[in-house]
Amino acid sequence: MAPSSRARLSIDLDALAHNYHAIAAEAAGAETAPVVKADGYGLSAGPIARRLWAEGARTFFVARLAEGEALRRELDHRAARILVLDGFTAECGPRLCASDLMPVLNSVEQVAAAIAFAAGLDAPLPCALQADTGMNRQGLAPGQAQALAGSGGLAGLTVDLVMSHLGSGAIPDHPRNRQQLAAFREIRALFPAAQASLAASAGAFLGPDYRFDLVRPGISLYGGGPTERPDPRLRAVARLEAPILDIRQLSAGDYVGYGTTIQTDHATRVALVGAGYADGVIRASRRSGQAWAAGALRRLYIVDMDLTVVDLGDGEAAPGDMVELLGPHALLDDLAHAAGSIAHECLVRLSSRAQRIYLGSEATQTA
Ligand SMILES: *Cc1c(COP(=O)(O)O)cnc(C)c1O
């Protein structure tokens, strides 16, 4: 096979910029602060963040301290505000300061550790506070936030941002959204000088009540719909393609690949595509997944280690032709649904084996 038998992952920075502005327009009046954790949802935080900076983003979120340190370098020490969602421990204080990273404090223990650390500093330590308004994952309980606000219990800290996270934002009518909104309104009132933020991608599309001062989109920047379905307002950022290695004729009733679970129900031609787990194709997506081949969406039969088999039907194709496994036709949310997963996981799994190509400039196209 030709040397091009490697899968190709194209990352469209113009599509990223389009999505950023689509979200910013939806959340007009609020700051749009990209979430670039997990290495920019698998698409490389550096080029992603540099382009978003060029488009106007000034606040970024990462999960881990090391991601924040890397992002500071990737942004070439631009004056971005970088928040670390994991928060604060005594050991990470000096590293947070050295890279000018802001911790998101998630518990009374983290608050206490930050206060102890800040006592040794010349200036107050800027931080964000996360409150748990009903997701039951991370954040101070409302009573704990109240106690801290009331007792002046944040000595040495400046609370720049108070935030919470929605558990059911992808289901717009879910009553939990309004419950969390009501709880968050009470908490943000305790910190009138701080910016307030409740919405991730899903919340940014829930309407003005959910915007507050800042929205924190992740997946929708990368093309995932806010309700976990394809959304025409957003463009695909990642496109995974791989070449056809061979074309085979199968008869009705043939078993395909390992085991006896996948069987053809009609005579057909299939394409053997050179991509598999190491390129980020998820095995479970064979259940109802589709790839774009020979100008149409076509059923995925199997995903094995390094090979994916696609039903070509009446499509005309030849070895060497590229098949799109994810992208503007084989949509991220559809693939995630087929795999019994969500867009976030499908993107993060796009691995390093596929050859990466960045389309569009890291600098803004509109300036
Ligand atoms: C990951 C995360 C986000 C972004 O979520 P998306 O669903 O990808 O938009 C926002 N806020 C917090 C606290 C997060 O953990």
Side-chain angles (χ1 to χ4, degrees):
M1 192 60 227
S4 65
S5 64
R6 199 168 157 201
R8 181 166 70 205
L9 176 63
S10 325
I11 294 154
D12 186 343
L13 297 174
D14 292 341
L16 174 78
H18 168 91
N19 295 344
Y20 170 78
H21 292 294
I23 297 164
E26 190 67 34
E31 179 179 356
T32 298
V35 179
V36 296
K37 61 194 177 190
D39 200 22
Y41 287 48
L43 304 181
S44 296
I48 296 281
R50 285 192 292 272
R51 178 59 185 266
L52 291 171
W53 170 277
E55 297 297 328
R58 291 296 176 265
T59 301
F60 296 83
F61 287 85
V62 295
R64 305 276 114 86
L65 170 59
E67 292 175 354
E69 292 171 323
L71 183 63
R72 180 63 72 201
R73 290 191 299 272
E74 291 282 5
L75 281 171
D76 201 16
H77 299 273
R78 289 178 180 87
R81 185 162 61 145
I82 301 176
L83 289 98
V84 178
L85 292 165
D86 275 355
F88 192 93
T89 59
E91 311 81 71
C92 72
R95 285 170 62 188
L96 284 164
C97 285
S99 293
D100 192 13
L101 307 174
M102 191 187 297
V104 177
L105 305 178
N106 296 302
S107 65
V108 283
E109 291 77 18
Q110 291 197 351
V111 170
I115 288 172
F117 177 76
L121 302 176
D122 298 334
L125 181 71
C127 64
L129 275 189
Q130 175 152 224
D132 178 8
T133 51
M135 191 178 179
N136 297 312
R137 200 179 66 172
Q138 255 178 337
L140 297 154
Q144 294 174 328
Q146 219 157 10
L148 285 170
S151 66
L154 293 162
L157 308 181
T158 327
V159 180
D160 281 2
L161 176 75
V162 58
M163 58 181 266
S164 190
H165 198 36
L166 294 170
S168 302
I171 311 165
D173 300 334
H174 202 290
R176 194 182 180 193
N177 294 324
R178 297 219 72 87
Q179 289 159 8
Q180 287 198 256
L181 176 63
F184 184 65
R185 281 186 171 138
E186 290 188 16
I187 287 166
R188 72 87 39 114
L190 301 170
F191 302 92
Q195 275 187 306
S197 174
L198 179 60
S201 297
F205 288 85
L206 285 182
D209 285 354
Y210 290 84
R211 270 174 220 155
F212 294 94
D213 302 311
L214 181 148
V215 296
R216 314 182 305 268
I219 195 64
S220 289
L221 287 171
Y222 311 105
T227 59
E228 297 176 8
R229 280 190 293 267
D231 190 308
R233 291 170 290 189
L234 303 169
R235 285 173 55 191
V237 172
R239 178 181 196 156
L240 180 69
E241 297 164 292
I244 295 177
L245 304 178
D246 196 8
I247 291 176
R248 305 277 309 263
Q249 177 69 46
L250 300 183
S251 310
D254 282 349
Y255 296 112
V256 189
Y258 295 115
T260 52
T261 49
I262 308 287
Q263 199 174 16
T264 54
D265 55 10
H266 59 287
T268 190
R269 283 178 329 132
V270 297
L272 201 60
V273 179
Y277 315 146
D279 307 292
V281 187
I282 297 178
R283 180 174 171 83
S285 61
R286 68 185 182 176
R287 289 188 307 182
S288 59
Q290 292 186 303
W292 180 261
L297 281 172
R298 317 246 178 214
R299 176 182 166 184
L300 279 185
Y301 269 117
I302 56 169
V303 181
D304 281 348
M305 183 75 179
D306 296 301
L307 296 170
T308 293
V309 175
V310 177
D311 188 354
L312 278 178
D314 56 4
E316 287 297 328
D321 289 357
M322 295 299 264
V323 170
E324 179 192 299
L325 297 156
L326 169 73
H329 303 99
L331 298 173
L332 176 60
D333 287 293
D334 288 337
L335 193 78
H337 184 75
S341 183
I342 59 170
H344 306 60
E345 186 186 10
C346 291
L347 276 189
V348 164
R349 283 175 183 259
L350 293 171
S351 84
S352 55
R353 184 166 73 177
Q355 178 194 6
R356 280 186 184 223
I357 298 169
Y358 288 85
L359 306 174
S361 165
E362 286 183 9
T364 181
Q365 301 296 288
T366 51

